[in-house]
Amino acid sequence: MVVETEIKAPRAMKDFYQQIGLRDYPFNMYTAENEGKYASEIFVHPQNYDAIKESFDSGRSIIIRGNRGTGKTALLNDLQDSISMSDCLTCIIDDYSKLSIRPTTQEYYQLIITSITDALFEKLFDERNRLKQLSKEDKLFLSLLLEQYTSQVTQSELTRKIESIQLSKIRRFVKGKINLIRAVCNYGLTAGLNVVNDVIRNYLTYLPPLNESQIRDIMPHVNLNAELSFNEEEASYNLILRICEVVHKLGFKRITSFFDKFDEDSRMENDAEKISEFVSPLLKDNKLLENEKIQLIISVWEVPFRRLIGVVRTQKHYCPILEWSTPFLVSALNKRLYVFSDKAITDFRSIFCQDVSDEDIKEIIFLSNGNPRDLWHILNYIFQNQHSIDDGSTVLTKKAVHQGLNEFVIHFNFYEYYPKKPKAKANTMDVYSYIKHLLKLTSEVFTKNQLNDATNIGGGTISNYVVGMENIGLIVNTKEKSHGGVLYRISDPKVVYAIKNHLDISR
């Protein structure tokens, strides 16, 4: 007699994590943008937050460094949120499509001018009375900025807002301009922008219209008289200062420009050399970084930044590296679980089974390498494995932890930290080639001779390999010696874990 056994349908992942105590799943969001409504609730200060915040509050320009996933964007969002919006003018610059692949200082100045001008008119839309504080000349200058330096996106958005306001004056104006607007549809974009500027200027009633003679009167203040020869870079720099002067007259005590996501420009192709060349003009501009009239907060990926150490005045400018020691990582994890569980989970240890030892927990923290994003990836692998092992479990078991850690190491994209040139030849040494040799060692600490004995690379070439690995930060020189040879240490914990657990890491 055959006994039929009922095959139970697998429990959905949502049902699984909810039985553990989570309302929503916290480990499949890896960027500040993805975190959306949770971003402010789950934000935790990195280790050196107080020093960064103190410098920020003092109006000092800062170059914030960090590997991917250390929370640079989240930190910038937090700093911006901490500013009094009534006293400060801020803009976030994260679209560099208008810059060339090797931008000049002049191009960066133009980007700053456009971004500040856009932010200013967004503010003035809601606070028109500020314009009363300006002289006629300053108002003419603002009209010039509106005419020449606001982006089409900002002009369109301002016009849309104006048209949505139910005021009779606006209705009368739009009615009076209807034939012009119809002409725009027929005669093209250039005429359209003129009408857009008319719409905005008529809403910001304190702004006068421009004519040729008035422009000539105000232009010399920024060294841009068309009849004289001039240096475009210097002229643009002076224009930034002139804008700052007018912004302060409007009652804003501080002007802050945030720069972020240089490496997300598709043209960079994850190439650290390209990115370092791209940001170099901005990071080397000591004149702008030290100017007290404007504050720059620049977020930059640590890998390309290291290539600029020799040319960026790191001793002169404040260039903190985002740091996450174990207590701060644990605090970030607990905060995340607390928010995503509707305050039910206060200690991450409660979601792990008793068979998960303190050593297992240390391994999780060790592999995260001081990086919150890596920690979220690790937890995601552990949750996925627990769901596969036993979807009825209400805790994460030792088996799921070990399988999750193994998968995290095996599937990790090392090009995120150690980028390869996009057009490099297949046989070019890159991080995966280096790791392949390191995995033949039995210890994370080694000498050149020990590496040579394990790999049979050859004495003449082994030094080149060591230099290459040291240059990308995969190994570090300990400055110690053993049996007459310098000791090197593997700095990436994932490679150390792979050696210890006999795991293979390949592309």
Side-chain angles (χ1 to χ4, degrees):
M1 179 178 178
V2 178
V3 178
E4 293 186 2
T5 57
E6 182 180 354
I7 299 176
K8 186 175 68 172
R11 189 184 298 265
M13 183 64 182
K14 183 174 182 178
D15 294 334
F16 167 68
Y17 67 68
Q18 286 185 343
Q19 74 191 5
I20 288 180
L22 295 166
R23 177 193 61 201
D24 294 314
Y25 191 58
F27 301 119
N28 60 355
M29 294 178 288
Y30 307 118
T31 66
E33 295 80 12
N34 293 151
E35 289 166 350
K37 63 179 181 179
Y38 294 108
S40 60
E41 290 184 81
I42 61 179
F43 178 75
V44 172
H45 297 168
Q47 185 171 341
N48 47 350
Y49 177 83
D50 289 342
I52 294 172
K53 185 65 163 62
E54 184 177 344
S55 292
F56 176 75
D57 289 341
S58 70
R60 185 179 178 186
S61 288
I62 309 172
I63 301 171
I64 299 173
R65 305 154 53 184
N67 280 319
R68 288 169 170 170
T70 50
K72 298 186 294 298
T73 297
L75 175 60
L76 260 60
N77 290 341
D78 176 78
L79 294 176
Q80 187 189 29
D81 290 344
S82 71
I83 296 176
S84 169
M85 289 295 105
S86 62
D87 293 336
C88 302
L89 182 70
T90 65
C91 60
I92 291 186
I93 301 173
D94 56 13
D95 179 2
Y96 307 97
S97 57
K98 287 185 170 58
L99 301 185
S100 62
I101 193 69
R102 288 189 176 137
T104 62
T105 303
Q106 154 74 2
E107 288 180 74
Y108 271 109
Y109 288 166
Q110 289 294 311
L111 180 61
I112 292 170
I113 289 167
T114 302
S115 300
I116 292 177
T117 302
D118 284 350
L120 176 59
F121 279 99
E122 284 279 356
K123 278 276 195 178
L124 292 177
F125 176 84
D126 296 317
E127 303 171 27
R128 286 174 289 168
N129 285 337
R130 287 183 184 266
L131 290 168
K132 293 180 180 179
Q133 304 173 53
L134 299 184
S135 66
K136 181 179 179 181
E137 183 182 271
D138 291 332
K139 291 175 184 176
L140 284 170
F141 178 71
L142 283 185
S143 289
L144 175 69
L145 293 180
L146 175 63
E147 187 85 25
Q148 298 186 8
Y149 291 102
T150 48
S151 67
Q152 292 181 19
V153 172
T154 297
Q155 290 175 333
S156 299
E157 178 63 15
L158 289 175
T159 304
R160 186 193 63 78
K161 288 181 179 179
I162 291 169
E163 291 175 349
S164 68
I165 296 174
Q166 298 302 308
L167 294 174
S168 59
K169 182 168 63 174
I170 299 301
R171 286 201 204 96
R172 288 196 304 271
F173 172 76
V174 172
K175 181 179 179 180
K177 292 288 184 179
I178 192 67
N179 289 330
L180 285 176
I181 294 173
R182 184 180 304 143
V184 168
C185 298
N186 294 326
Y187 298 111
L189 182 60
T190 302
L193 290 178
N194 290 335
V195 171
V196 166
N197 286 329
D198 284 344
V199 171
I200 298 171
R201 196 174 284 108
N202 274 271
Y203 183 72
L204 301 174
T205 53
Y206 298 105
L207 286 184
L210 284 174
N211 61 52
E212 184 73 14
S213 61
Q214 289 173 322
I215 292 177
R216 286 178 179 174
D217 284 339
I218 62 176
M219 289 304 251
H221 289 280
V222 292
N223 217 14
L224 280 173
N225 193 317
E227 296 175 1
L228 301 175
S229 60
F230 59 88
N231 179 289
E232 289 188 357
E233 181 180 309
E234 188 66 26
S236 294
Y237 180 77
N238 288 332
L239 182 55
I240 291 174
L241 300 187
R242 178 77 169 94
I243 293 172
C244 291
E245 179 186 328
V246 172
V247 169
H248 287 303
K249 286 182 180 179
L250 285 165
F252 298 104
K253 298 177 181 178
R254 182 167 156 194
I255 305 163
T256 304
S257 292
F258 296 88
F259 289 82
D260 194 19
K261 302 179 184 176
F262 291 100
D263 55 311
E264 293 186 17
D265 189 307
S266 60
R267 297 172 297 169
M268 300 298 108
E269 300 179 295
N270 200 38
D271 185 339
E273 186 175 340
K274 279 186 179 180
I275 297 167
S276 64
E277 289 177 355
F278 190 79
V279 301
S280 176
L282 183 65
L283 300 186
K284 292 191 299 183
D285 192 344
N286 300 318
K287 181 171 63 175
L288 185 63
L289 288 168
E290 293 172 18
N291 195 295
E292 295 180 353
K293 291 185 177 181
I294 184 170
Q295 179 184 38
L296 306 184
I297 308 299
I298 305 169
S299 159
V300 61
W301 180 22
E302 175 64 6
V303 175
F305 183 85
R306 283 201 300 265
R307 293 173 173 267
L308 298 171
I309 289 292
V311 294
V312 176
R313 300 288 296 277
T314 55
Q315 297 301 312
K316 194 169 189 175
H317 310 306
Y318 184 41
C319 306
I321 302 177
L322 287 192
E323 298 173 333
W324 293 88
S325 62
T326 297
F328 286 85
L329 273 179
V330 169
S331 176
L333 175 56
N334 282 335
K335 185 69 171 291
R336 204 173 189 88
L337 291 170
Y338 179 76
V339 171
F340 279 81
S341 67
D342 274 338
K343 304 179 180 180
I345 300 174
T346 57
D347 181 359
F348 79 94
R349 204 62 175 84
S350 65
I351 68 172
F352 288 93
C353 181
Q354 290 184 348
D355 68 347
V356 178
S357 67
D358 289 341
E359 289 303 312
D360 295 325
I361 298 298
K362 287 180 181 178
E363 198 84 88
I364 292 173
I365 300 299
F366 172 68
L367 275 179
S368 69
N369 199 22
N371 190 310
R373 185 184 298 172
D374 284 0
L375 183 56
W376 311 153
H377 275 287
I378 290 170
L379 268 296
N380 183 50
Y381 276 112
I382 293 173
F383 264 86
Q384 297 293 340
N385 274 279
Q386 187 61 60
H387 180 248
S388 298
I389 295 168
D390 178 10
D391 59 17
S393 177
T394 57
V395 289
L396 305 174
T397 62
K398 189 182 191 76
K399 183 178 180 181
V401 168
H402 287 175
Q403 289 184 186
L405 292 178
N406 287 351
E407 289 186 14
F408 169 73
V409 171
I410 291 170
H411 299 299
F412 189 84
N413 178 11
F414 284 86
Y415 288 138
E416 282 283 300
Y417 289 172
Y418 316 98
K420 178 182 180 179
K421 284 186 172 295
K423 296 180 181 179
K425 295 179 181 179
N427 61 351
T428 302
M429 296 306 296
D430 64 10
V431 63
Y432 284 98
S433 300
Y434 291 136
I435 289 174
K436 179 180 178 181
H437 294 304
L438 293 176
L439 292 181
K440 295 177 181 178
L441 295 168
T442 57
S443 170
E444 65 183 284
V445 180
F446 63 94
T447 64
K448 289 181 183 178
N449 286 338
Q450 288 171 333
L451 180 61
N452 191 43
D453 291 341
T455 60
N456 294 317
I457 291 174
T461 309
I462 196 69
S463 293
N464 294 334
Y465 275 65
V466 170
V467 169
M469 290 188 285
E470 197 174 359
N471 284 342
I472 66 172
L474 185 58
I475 66 173
V476 293
N477 187 330
T478 67
K479 308 299 182 183
E480 299 176 6
K481 289 190 176 182
S482 176
H483 303 293
V486 175
L487 282 173
Y488 295 88
R489 178 175 54 80
I490 301 171
S491 58
D492 195 310
K494 295 176 288 297
V495 180
V496 176
Y497 181 90
I499 291 173
K500 185 172 69 173
N501 292 277
H502 310 289
L503 301 178
D504 179 49
I505 296 175
S506 57
R507 293 180 183 84

